[in-house]
């Protein structure tokens, strides 16, 4: 959302409204007076804007602040758990996942459905995604939840500014205008539509989850996940780093064997062709990840060997990443999170072996706290980011759409197939 | 340089002095009044601080500002070409280079001397480096130049905060306290001592050179240089990115061939073992880079083949870097800059082949504008950075040391061997 033209009265209000909401979001429990002090706005302006945010259910007021010292105690302000939710959908190679997350991080619903999306025409996959989204919207309406925006996670290169999927080799997609196409399938999608790479979104979700749990959160880490493909998300100095066009964090096509087998991208010996989920399953002779884990638990040799081999290749590739970026932590997500107990030792050994200055520094290889849900969670929370960074536009749209929404929600409830959320 | 303790009067002056100098450095030609407006300091404070900076030859006042409009025209302020210089030394595997650079970027002297530093004890190499530095100091004294600080470029992992070289495999150094050891060899070294990785310093020098020339400067790029080893420096959003401990940008030990030849780092099939200067020379059957270039000019097959092979391996490794970091530009420095005409095509072909989304984006592979001098230039200018970020401490030290300096410069001039600067 960018401003254009000179800063008029509306632009100023938009800016100040965002300032006030940011002050409240980053310090839950603040008073109006404290928000005024932090933002440099007058108390009168803050009060007007807070009232607007409270009416729109973005902010909640509670009792009196617990604070000693002189002066009147203020009302305590925080993000509202009754505020708008983010609706996320993840387009996996062999599944579609949806998730509804509230402003304060609570997960209202999560749903995963198996679909073979590989080499299907984008329109067919998007029709499925639209049905899943519609189902989730009907469910939120039934629970009287408002959806503030929709986020889509895609296993491929996404130009985030335009919502265009440039290349998703494992889906067989190239140059798909996903934002436009998805809206054609489901014109009733509320709020802004945010399209992102699944690993980047997962990395952001992981960062938020770690901060939320008050765990020792590394400032910089590389999140690596495997499903059919391998994705990575880079967090530097506490924020996602995704490069000049938002295309950064691609690790799946790291060259591991110069004369290795041909990959879906056209090149040879890529990491995901040799150490991705399919390669591990094939080498272990297991039909799916559940079977693989059962065999690993039973310490069956082919399963152990397959995972250890993938761990070494992953460790070698990650040594190059750590030598380049000097991050302290690797977080394993997706299928790698499930395989962490068997993967971590060979991976760490190879990584350390190739790490420059390794006797004087080390790298921690952690398991993701969110696991397979990270990407769809990230899609849902990223959808809320436009509400949080531009609450005034959200409020204005909501006022305009109030009547229409009431009608269409009614028809959606009638037409919905009543899926119940898993999780 | 970090402040400690509560902000006393001295701390405030230090801070304000740095603010004022920064305002002048980033807008050459500003007036006192404009500096006051930019920094938020009073005109009286700015005037006192500017006088202090002018007395110390950090800032120069010139005529009247060329400005139309009402009000008194101010004196135009800029960094002084007569101010302190940065003295840089680069410890190469087979050479030592020194360089003296002024505050406004002019190169006063540059000197390269061949030495075989490989597998020599650090004390022996540092004694050589101290002699080169002493020679350069004598030369600056003769020209009545003041040295504000000294920077050292090292081909290895450097913990910049402590000045400790953690690992420099091509020198055979591990855990060398270079800052302390070098001062023991040359206690008269003036100002702060800054130790850095050669490729990181070269990347910074390249960035400054591009900006200075007003050339189209990419916001983000990876600088890659080869001498005996291969180094890289990462510039993201217009600034050096060197990771959590300053150890980032290591590319030389990128795994190219899992079962390749053993590298100086102990691992197998590293990029610099296969595509570094020594590997190219060996494959081409050339004794040195000059011979190689002569044979390339004559289109001799073994020379061409050796460079093309290195180009493909470098391109493959760089595809992984660009897929990860989404930079738009690669800058080839050091020996690679000299080989650019023969290296660029196979390199770009392999890079593009493995670049995700390559039909929709491209990467430019440029030749460094500084070439082999980049690292020592970076060392020299980085030595000035402490003067620029904390001018007050520089001024205080200079006042204290004035008498001593006059004496020791005298003796150094007598004892110097009178090297003349090459460049």
């Amino acid at each position: 959302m960018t401003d254009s033209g000179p800063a008029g009265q509306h632009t100023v209000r938009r800016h100040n409204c965002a300032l006030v909401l940011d002050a409240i979001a980053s310090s839950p429990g603040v008073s109006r007076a404290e928000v005024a002090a932090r933002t440099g706005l007058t108390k009168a302006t803050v009060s007007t804007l807070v009232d607007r945010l409270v009416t729109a259910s973005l902010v909640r007021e509670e009792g009196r602040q617990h604070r000693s010292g002189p002066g009147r105690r203020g009302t305590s302000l925080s993000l509202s758990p009754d505020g708008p939710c983010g609706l996320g959908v993840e387009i996996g190679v062999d599944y579609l996942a949806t998730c509804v997350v509230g402003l304060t991080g609570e997960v209202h619903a999560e749903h995963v459905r198996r679909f073979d999306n590989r080499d299907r025409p984008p329109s067919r996959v998007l029709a499925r995604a639209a049905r899943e989204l519609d189902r989730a919207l009907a469910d939120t309406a039934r629970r009287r939840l408002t959806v503030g925006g929709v986020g889509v996670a895609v296993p491929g290169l996404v130009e985030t500014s335009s919502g265009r999927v440039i290349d998703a080799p494992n889906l067989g997609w190239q140059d798909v205008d996903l934002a436009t196409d998805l809206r054609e399938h489901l014109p009733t999608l509320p709020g802004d539509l945010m399209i992102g790479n699944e690993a980047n979104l997962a990395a952001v979700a992981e960062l938020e989850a770690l901060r939320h749990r008050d765990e020792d959160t590394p400032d910089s880490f590389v999140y690596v996940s495997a499903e059919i493909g391998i994705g990575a998300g880079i967090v530097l100095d506490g924020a996602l780093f995704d490069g000049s066009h938002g295309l950064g964090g691609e690790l799946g096509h790291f060259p591991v064997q110069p004369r290795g087998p041909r990959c879906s991208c056209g090149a040879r010996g890529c990491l995901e062709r040799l150490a991705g989920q399919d390669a591990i399953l094939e080498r272990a002779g297991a039909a799916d990840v559940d079977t693989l884990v059962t065999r690993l638990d039973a310490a069956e040799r082919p399963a152990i060997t397959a995972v250890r081999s993938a761990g070494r290749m992953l460790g070698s590739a990650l040594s190059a990443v750590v030598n380049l970026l000097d991050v302290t932590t690797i977080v394993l997500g997706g299928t790698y999170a499930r395989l962490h107990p068997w993967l971590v030792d060979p991976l760490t050994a190879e990584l350390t072996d190739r790490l420059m200055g390794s006797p004087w520094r080390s790298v921690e290889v952690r398991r993701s706290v969110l696991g397979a849900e990270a990407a769809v969670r990230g899609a849902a929370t990223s959808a809320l980011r436009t509400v949080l960074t531009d609450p005034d536009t959200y409020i204005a749209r909501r006022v305009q759409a109030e009547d229409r929404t009431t009608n269409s929600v009614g028809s959606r409830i009638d037409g919905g197939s009543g899926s119940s959320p898993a999780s």
Side-chain angles (χ1 to χ4, degrees), chain A:
Chain A
M1 196 111 323
T2 54
D3 292 344
S4 59
Q9 206 178 347
H10 175 61
T11 314
V12 171
R13 190 182 66 191
R14 257 175 82 186
H15 178 73
N16 292 344
C17 202
L19 264 186
V20 167
L21 188 58
D22 182 59
I24 295 168
S26 52
S27 303
V30 286
S31 67
R32 281 171 163 79
E34 285 162 352
V35 171
R38 272 163 207 235
T39 56
L41 300 172
T42 66
K43 286 186 193 171
T45 304
V46 169
S47 259
T48 309
L49 292 170
V50 166
D51 289 346
R52 190 167 159 82
L53 292 166
V54 168
T55 307
S57 296
L58 286 166
V59 165
R60 167 167 79 169
E61 299 188 274
E62 269 178 324
R64 292 271 167 214
Q65 252 192 332
H66 302 289
R67 188 171 60 82
S68 59
R72 193 173 80 87
R73 286 179 175 184
T75 321
S76 155
L77 303 170
S78 53
L79 289 179
S80 169
D82 309 320
C85 300
L87 168 57
V89 60
E90 182 187 0
I91 300 178
V93 177
D94 56 356
Y95 61 90
L96 287 168
T98 53
C99 175
V100 178
V101 175
L103 265 188
T104 48
E106 67 283 13
V107 178
H108 292 296
E110 221 161 9
H111 201 95
V112 182
R113 203 177 280 255
R114 294 278 141 198
F115 284 109
D116 187 2
N117 295 323
R118 209 189 299 224
D119 298 324
R120 294 285 185 285
S123 65
R124 189 153 155 210
V125 175
L126 291 182
R128 282 176 183 164
R131 275 200 302 278
E132 294 301 304
L133 283 169
D134 202 30
R135 222 188 286 270
L137 285 169
D139 183 49
T140 55
R142 206 175 303 117
R143 297 153 170 246
R144 301 187 174 281
L145 296 168
T146 311
V147 172
V150 177
V152 186
V154 184
L157 287 181
V158 178
E159 192 182 63
T160 42
S161 55
S162 65
R164 206 165 56 100
V165 177
I166 292 179
D167 196 6
N170 287 313
L171 289 170
W173 292 9
Q174 288 196 320
D175 203 18
V176 175
D177 185 354
L178 200 146
T180 307
D181 293 358
L182 189 58
R183 279 214 189 273
E184 273 175 21
H185 282 282
L186 195 60
T188 56
L189 275 181
D192 281 327
L193 192 52
M194 218 296 304
I195 322 281
N197 169 271
E198 55 89 20
N200 287 347
L201 292 171
V204 171
E206 186 74 19
L207 180 67
E208 284 170 4
L210 286 170
R211 283 183 179 156
H212 215 254
R213 290 175 189 215
D214 250 347
E215 287 194 31
D216 164 39
T217 307
D219 205 40
S220 300
F221 63 86
V222 174
Y223 174 94
V224 184
S225 75
E227 308 290 345
I228 303 296
I230 293 178
I234 302 170
V235 171
L236 300 179
D237 299 328
L240 180 73
F241 172 81
D242 62 1
S244 302
H245 316 90
L247 307 177
E250 276 299 318
L251 185 69
H253 305 278
F254 187 100
V256 173
Q257 282 180 4
R259 294 168 208 280
R262 186 76 64 185
C263 175
S264 64
C265 74
R268 286 191 175 278
C270 295
L271 181 66
E272 75 178 36
R273 181 70 180 77
L274 291 159
Q277 180 181 302
D278 278 4
I280 298 175
L281 291 176
E282 192 185 338
R283 188 149 183 201
D288 53 45
V289 178
D290 290 336
T291 311
L292 177 67
V293 170
T294 309
R295 293 190 188 168
L296 289 165
D297 274 328
E300 286 185 27
R301 183 62 74 90
I304 299 280
T305 306
V307 172
R308 292 188 68 87
S309 160
R312 281 191 298 273
M313 285 187 271
L314 191 56
S316 172
L318 288 173
S319 74
V321 175
V322 178
N323 282 333
L324 207 64
L325 299 181
D326 185 19
V327 293
T328 56
T329 310
I330 300 290
V331 178
L332 297 182
T335 301
Y336 285 156
R338 290 192 68 188
L339 303 181
H340 181 274
W342 301 277
L343 204 55
V344 66
D345 287 343
L347 192 167
T348 307
E350 189 74 22
L351 202 175
T352 308
D353 217 41
R354 300 199 69 104
L355 184 66
M356 294 300 294
S358 63
W360 291 272
R361 65 163 162 168
S362 60
V363 176
E364 189 193 353
V365 180
R366 292 188 186 189
R367 180 183 200 149
S368 153
V369 298
L370 291 178
E373 288 78 39
V376 71
R377 290 267 185 101
T381 54
S382 75
L384 281 177
R385 213 158 303 134
T386 58
V387 176
L388 289 169
T389 52
D390 188 9
D392 199 63
T393 298
Y394 163 75
I395 294 169
R397 276 196 203 151
R398 206 176 151 229
V399 169
Q400 281 173 11
E402 207 112 82
D403 288 341
R404 265 180 296 152
T405 309
T406 318
N407 296 339
S408 70
V409 163
S411 70
R412 256 192 268 125
I413 287 178
D414 298 339
S417 67
S419 76
S420 67
S423 127

